[in-house]
């Protein structure tokens, strides 16, 4: 390799490296802020209230994937290819987000106050539940939509600002509520949480003012694609929360709390890979316009980088795990062991995530939904059974079995579709016969 070629290659890679560091840095800082928020609430709410908060949050985590019916994906994919379509896609997103939010909040308001009462007083219980639902469904979806809009425009700096501001705002709200005003119940905390999200959402609306006004209407062909995109995440959310629900029934509150922290650490560890995916997705969508096979070179490079990054992250978490009691409290005696067991799961998670993101960027949402949805359905059943049969050891074993199963299935499907795409691109094009009298 000549010096000139090496310099040229370095110049091409440097902008992507800088974007990744900025994207990864914003997600990591936001994740650290979220972890601090989690720690503050764990300390001040206490074991019983904190366990209830985790359970309710798990339910709304499923609802957030239903909100909008997966419309944000088509916004990123189509705006990345043609920015002039942004007003139409924005209007499509707003309509679906508002309509689905109304239905989800109404259902939640009927169900949650009875299964997860936030206060013995019925009026406070219903009011607190309403605020929690409004916060965790439409407001969170609107903030996430803002991030996706900037990603669709390849404005990664603004997308990073949204993520960073959101994370820091929630930490500031928790610190102010608990440390300054002594909030120690969920019913009190949800008021602070709601006001925080309203302020962040208002800032998001203001930040989008120069991108254009929405044109309201439903883009019919994207409804099915959006459902294909969102359903796997809904099923995955069910799978990810099955363990918490079963553990809550068969183990002590300390086990549930320690496991919840370990899960939160795992989710935070995955952000190092998510930072790469959010940068690569628009480029993969453009690269795959001529067929999935055209993007496979990029996908393989990203996969190697993702495995390296996730392995380095797992090692770091394993080494730093003994410091966590200083943050969350020493009453969570199982936390360090749980974190060290789960931290390595991020490596297979990164491996299969790259494959399914490539399928999504290429528009293979039905296949992607089948892979993720099927894996999550099997995973939910396996996790529930293993957790019930041998908690928490069975839970940990099921985690690794499911993630490596997903690696094998997702890459097998991706490579098969890439081969099919390559074969189709190499087929000779036969000109249609010209009808007499209509020739050029």
């Amino acid at each position: 390799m000549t010096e000139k070629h090496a310099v040229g290659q370095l110049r091409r890679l440097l902008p992507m490296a800088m974007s990744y560091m900025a994207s990864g840095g914003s997600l990591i800082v936001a994740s650290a802020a979220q972890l601090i928020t989690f720690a503050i609430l764990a300390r001040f709410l206490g074991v019983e209230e904190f366990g209830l908060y985790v359970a309710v949050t798990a339910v709304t985590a499923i609802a957030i994937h239903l909100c909008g019916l997966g419309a944000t994906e088509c916004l990123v994919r189509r705006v990345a290819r043609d920015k002039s379509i942004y007003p139409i896609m924005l209007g499509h997103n707003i309509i679906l987000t508002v309509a689905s939010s109304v239905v989800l909040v109404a259902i939640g308001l009927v169900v949650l106050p009875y299964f997860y009462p936030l206060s013995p007083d019925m009026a406070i219980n219903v009011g607190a539940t309403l605020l929690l639902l409004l916060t965790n469904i439409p407001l969170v979806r609107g903030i996430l939509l803002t991030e996706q809009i900037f990603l669709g425009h390849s404005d990664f700096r603004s997308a990073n600002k949204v993520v960073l501001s959101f994370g820091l705002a929630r930490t500031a709200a928790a610190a102010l509520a608990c440390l300054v005003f002594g909030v120690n119940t969920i019913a009190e905390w949800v008021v602070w949480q709601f006001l925080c999200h309203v302020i962040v959402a208002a800032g998001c609306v203001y930040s989008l003012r120069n991108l254009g006004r929405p044109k309201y209407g439903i883009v019919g062909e994207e409804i099915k694609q959006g459902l294909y995109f969102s359903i796997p995440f809904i099923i995955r959310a069910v799978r990810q929360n099955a363990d918490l629900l079963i553990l809550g029934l068969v183990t002590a509150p300390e086990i549930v709390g320690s496991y919840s922290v370990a899960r939160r650490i795992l989710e935070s560890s995955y952000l190092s890979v998510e930072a790469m995916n959010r940068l690569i997705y628009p480029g993969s969508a453009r690269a795959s316009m001529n067929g999935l096979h055209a993007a496979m070179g990029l996908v393989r490079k990203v996969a190697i980088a993702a495995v390296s990054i996730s392995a380095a992250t797992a090692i770091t978490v394993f080494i730093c795990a003994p410091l966590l009691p200083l943050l969350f409290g020493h009453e969570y005696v199982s936390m360090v062991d749980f974190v060290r067991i789960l931290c390595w799961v991020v490596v297979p998670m990164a491996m299969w995530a790259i494959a399914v993101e490539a399928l999504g960027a290429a528009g293979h949402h039905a296949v992607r939904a089948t892979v993720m949805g099927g894996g999550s359905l099997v995973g939910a059943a396996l996790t529930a059974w293993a957790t019930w049969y041998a908690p928490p050891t069975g839970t940990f074993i099921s985690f690794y079995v499911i993630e490596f199963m997903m690696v094998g299935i997702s890459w097998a499907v991706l490579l098969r579709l890439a081969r099919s795409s390559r074969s189709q691109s190499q087929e000779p094009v036969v000109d249609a016969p010209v009808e007499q009298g209509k020739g050029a």
Side-chain angles (χ1 to χ4, degrees), residues 345-374:
V345 177
V346 72
V347 178
M349 285 176 65
M351 293 171 66
W352 70 257
I354 296 300
V356 298
E357 288 298 312
L359 291 172
H364 293 287
H365 292 294
V367 177
R368 181 179 183 276
T370 302
V371 171
M372 292 186 66

Side-chain angles (χ1 to χ4, degrees), residues 166-178:
F166 189 27
L168 294 177
R170 286 185 291 186
T171 301
L176 188 62
C178 297

Side-chain angles (χ1 to χ4, degrees), residues 321-333:
L323 301 176
L324 291 173
L326 299 176
L327 184 62
F328 288 90
H330 293 279
E331 62 270 27
Y332 297 97
V333 295

Side-chain angles (χ1 to χ4, degrees), residues 190-251:
V190 295
V191 177
W192 287 84
Q193 187 184 39
F194 174 75
L195 293 175
C196 169
H197 282 65
V198 168
I199 293 171
V200 174
C204 288
V205 172
Y206 181 77
S207 69
L208 297 173
R209 66 192 184 281
N210 295 325
L211 293 181
R213 301 176 65 85
K215 292 183 179 179
Y216 293 101
I218 296 296
V219 183
E221 68 270 18
E222 291 294 347
I223 295 290
K224 182 186 293 186
Q225 294 283 59
L227 289 172
Y228 282 142
F229 182 81
S230 62
I231 287 173
F233 286 103
I234 297 167
I235 299 174
R236 187 183 178 192
V238 172
R239 173 213 149 182
Q240 289 178 332
N241 292 288
D243 47 7
L244 289 172
L245 296 175
I246 300 298
L247 282 174
L249 295 175
V250 299
T251 61

Side-chain angles (χ1 to χ4, degrees), residues 103 121 249 255 435:
V103 174
D121 183 280
L249 295 175
I255 297 293
E435 296 182 22

Side-chain angles (χ1 to χ4, degrees), residues 74-304:
C74 66
L75 185 146
V76 176
R77 172 168 43 84
R78 296 188 63 166
V79 172
R81 297 172 177 176
D82 179 11
K83 290 182 174 55
S84 66
I85 203 172
Y86 166 70
I88 297 173
M89 301 310 299
L90 178 60
H92 174 78
N93 269 266
I94 292 174
I95 291 173
L96 292 182
T97 299
V98 171
S100 57
S101 293
V102 170
V103 174
L104 291 169
V105 170
I107 294 173
L109 197 58
V110 171
V111 175
L112 288 182
Y114 297 98
F115 288 95
Y116 299 102
L118 304 184
S119 171
D121 183 280
M122 180 55 69
I124 296 176
N125 182 24
V126 173
T129 301
L130 176 61
L131 288 182
L132 188 144
L133 289 168
L134 291 173
T135 300
N136 286 3
I137 301 177
L139 287 177
V140 169
R141 175 50 62 194
I143 295 168
L144 296 178
L145 173 61
T146 303
E147 179 198 1
Q148 297 300 305
I149 288 171
F150 285 127
L151 290 177
H153 285 83
S154 297
D155 185 356
F156 300 113
R157 178 178 298 180
S158 296
N160 295 337
K161 287 181 180 178
V162 172
V163 173
L164 192 58
S165 300
F166 189 27
L168 294 177
R170 286 185 291 186
T171 301
L176 188 62
C178 297
L179 300 177
V180 178
F181 288 91
V183 167
N184 58 9
T185 67
I186 300 177
E188 295 173 325
W189 162 242
V190 295
V191 177
W192 287 84
Q193 187 184 39
F194 174 75
L195 293 175
C196 169
H197 282 65
V198 168
I199 293 171
V200 174
C204 288
V205 172
Y206 181 77
S207 69
L208 297 173
R209 66 192 184 281
N210 295 325
L211 293 181
R213 301 176 65 85
K215 292 183 179 179
Y216 293 101
I218 296 296
V219 183
E221 68 270 18
E222 291 294 347
I223 295 290
K224 182 186 293 186
Q225 294 283 59
L227 289 172
Y228 282 142
F229 182 81
S230 62
I231 287 173
F233 286 103
I234 297 167
I235 299 174
R236 187 183 178 192
V238 172
R239 173 213 149 182
Q240 289 178 332
N241 292 288
D243 47 7
L244 289 172
L245 296 175
I246 300 298
L247 282 174
L249 295 175
V250 299
T251 61
E254 187 278 327
I255 297 293
V256 179
S258 294
Y259 182 77
S260 299
V261 172
R263 279 277 309 276
R264 180 71 63 170
I265 298 293
L266 176 62
E267 292 166 5
S268 299
S269 301
Y270 178 71
L271 292 179
S272 59
V273 177
E274 185 177 346
M276 177 175 294
N277 284 338
R278 69 203 289 265
L279 285 175
I280 297 299
Y281 197 92
S284 298
R286 289 190 293 269
S288 60
M289 288 180 66
N290 296 320
L292 178 59
H293 68 283
M296 287 305 295
L298 175 62
V299 172
R300 290 189 179 94
K301 292 177 182 177
V302 173
I304 293 172

